[in-house]
Structures are given as structure tokens and as C-alpha cells.
């Protein structure tokens, strides 16, 4: 389900996404969201719209979890709108104290994401947020991490989906909402 407000804000967000050809390597068309942050009112409006979406489609959530690093740009603001804690999902070794970890395969090996123990409690419903869905590995690991901690992913949200990379296929058990989908990677 898409709320009408997503349809209203989508063109404004798209106008602030810059395509950078051949970055970070030749043949890649990078979608740069940083120009969006030149318009703080639009960023705030986006976070309000996302929070409204959560209220209407997920209902109650216990926390918002954002993936390092760009999920940190939206996640805390959405969490504030919802009045719930923000849970940072970081690379292994970046969080102090005891952590819960989940691994995932990258193009050239394995990587590990982590949350602090106690950040997600048994039975918690968590809203996951990130900027981009490409191959789906990181978002899959984040969902596994929430489940390993005893929580349930109420929904995952990404600003941009690169549809040809079929990352959605790695998340058959996760309700996923995308604001903008590109047909070319």
C-alpha cells in the first residue's frame, strides 16, 4: 500500500537525486542523495511522511533501526516522529560493549553488521530504514540481526531501489516499501 503523500513527495525527492556516471567505478551510475540535504524542509517533510506511513501500514513499532551510514540520516528523525528509540546498525567493531552480529556475503567476501545487546528486545517490532536497496545483502543481514535479537521486522523502507539488481528477492519474508525505483543500476 502506498499512501497518497508518497506520491506527492516522490517528484520533489527525485528532483534532488543526482546521477553520477561511472562512480565509484566505470559502468556504475551512482544515485547521490546528498543534494537532498541542501533542502532541510524537504528532508523533514520526507521523514514526517515516512512516519505517517509507518503509523498507517505497520501500526505500532517499538523502534526504528537504520543501517550505517545513510540510514542514520533518516532513521533518527523518523524515530523522533514516532516517539520510539533509534537503533543504529553498524559494521562489526564500531559499537562499544556487547553486541549481536549477523554476517552477509559481499562481492569479494563476507561482512558483519551489529547492534548493541539490549537495543532490540524479544518481541519488539522494528521498522528498518536505509537509503538504497541494491543486491539486498545488507538489508537481509539487518533483518536477520533483528530476528536474532528476538525482534520482528514490521517493515523495511528504502528511499531508492535499483530494481535490476533484484535485491528484493533476498527479502521474501520482509514487507518492503520503496519510495523510488530505478529500472537501471
Amino acid at each position: 500500500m502506498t499512501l497518497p503523500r508518497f506520491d506527492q513527495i516522490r517528484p520533489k525527492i527525485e528532483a534532488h537525486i543526482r546521477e553520477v556516471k561511472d562512480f565509484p567505478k566505470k559502468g556504475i551510475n551512482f544515485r547521490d542523495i546528498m543534494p537532498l540535504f541542501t533542502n532541510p524542509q524537504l528532508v523533514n517533510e520526507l521523514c514526517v511522511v515516512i512516519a505517517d506511513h509507518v503509523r498507517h501500514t505497520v501500526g505500532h513499532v517499538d523502534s526504528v533501526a537504520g543501517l550505517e551510514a545513510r540510514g542514520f540520516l533518516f532513521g533518527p528523525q523518523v524515530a523522533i516522529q514516532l516517539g520510539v528509540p533509534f537503533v543504529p546498525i553498524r559494521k562489526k567493531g564500531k559499537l562499544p560493549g556487547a553486541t549481536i552480529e549477523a554476517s552477509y556475503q559481499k562481492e569479494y567476501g563476507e561482512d558483519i553488521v551489529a547492534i548493541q545487546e539490549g537495543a532490540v528486545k524479544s518481541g519488539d517490532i522494528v521498522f528498518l530504514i536505509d537509503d538504497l536497496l541494491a543486491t539486498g545483502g545488507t538489508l537481509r543481514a539487518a533483518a536477520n540481526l533483528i530476528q536474532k535479537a528476538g525482534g520482528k521486522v514490521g517493515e523495511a523502507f528504502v528511499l531508492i531501489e535499483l530494481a535490476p539488481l533484484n535485491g528484493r528477492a533476498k527479502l521474501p519474508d520482509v514487507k518492503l516499501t520503496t519510495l523510488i525505483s530505478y529500472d537501471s543500476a
Side-chain angles (χ1 to χ4, degrees):
M1 175 182 157
T2 300
L3 293 176
R5 291 192 61 198
F6 273 164
D7 291 336
Q8 293 167 2
I9 199 168
R10 186 176 293 112
K12 294 188 239 177
I13 301 298
E14 286 177 313
H16 285 80
I17 295 174
R18 179 174 60 134
E19 183 177 352
V20 181
K21 293 190 182 297
D22 298 323
F23 182 84
K25 62 183 183 180
K26 189 164 180 60
I28 303 288
N29 293 330
F30 185 79
R31 309 295 177 165
D32 182 13
I33 65 166
M34 289 301 129
L36 176 59
F37 292 91
T38 64
N39 187 333
Q41 294 82 10
L42 183 57
V43 173
N44 183 63
E45 182 183 354
L46 173 62
C47 292
V48 168
V49 168
I50 294 168
D52 285 347
H53 169 78
V54 173
R55 286 186 196 99
H56 288 94
T57 62
V58 181
H60 169 79
V61 295
D62 296 292
S63 61
V64 172
L67 284 83
E68 182 175 5
R70 290 186 183 99
F72 292 7
L73 298 173
F74 306 102
Q77 294 179 71
V78 173
I80 289 167
Q81 291 291 324
L82 294 170
V84 299
F86 174 71
V87 177
I89 298 176
R90 302 213 54 200
K91 302 275 188 202
K92 180 180 179 172
K94 299 289 186 177
L95 292 168
T99 59
I100 300 169
E101 300 174 350
S103 63
Y104 64 101
Q105 286 302 123
K106 292 176 67 174
E107 189 175 349
Y108 296 106
E110 183 180 79
D111 213 344
I112 298 172
V113 290
I115 59 172
Q116 291 176 312
E117 276 187 17
V120 173
K121 295 165 189 60
S122 181
D124 278 2
I125 299 170
V126 179
F127 178 72
L128 270 177
I129 189 166
D130 202 8
D131 69 320
L132 178 74
L133 176 65
T135 63
T138 309
L139 200 56
R140 173 76 268 161
N144 291 347
L145 187 59
I146 299 303
Q147 293 164 352
K148 190 174 179 180
K152 178 184 183 303
V153 176
E155 182 175 2
F157 174 89
V158 294
L159 193 65
I160 297 170
E161 178 178 2
L162 302 178
L165 299 179
N166 203 24
R168 193 174 279 269
K170 288 189 179 161
L171 302 157
D173 59 327
V174 175
K175 181 178 178 198
L176 176 65
T177 297
T178 299
L179 182 64
I180 300 165
S181 182
Y182 289 104
D183 292 330
S184 62

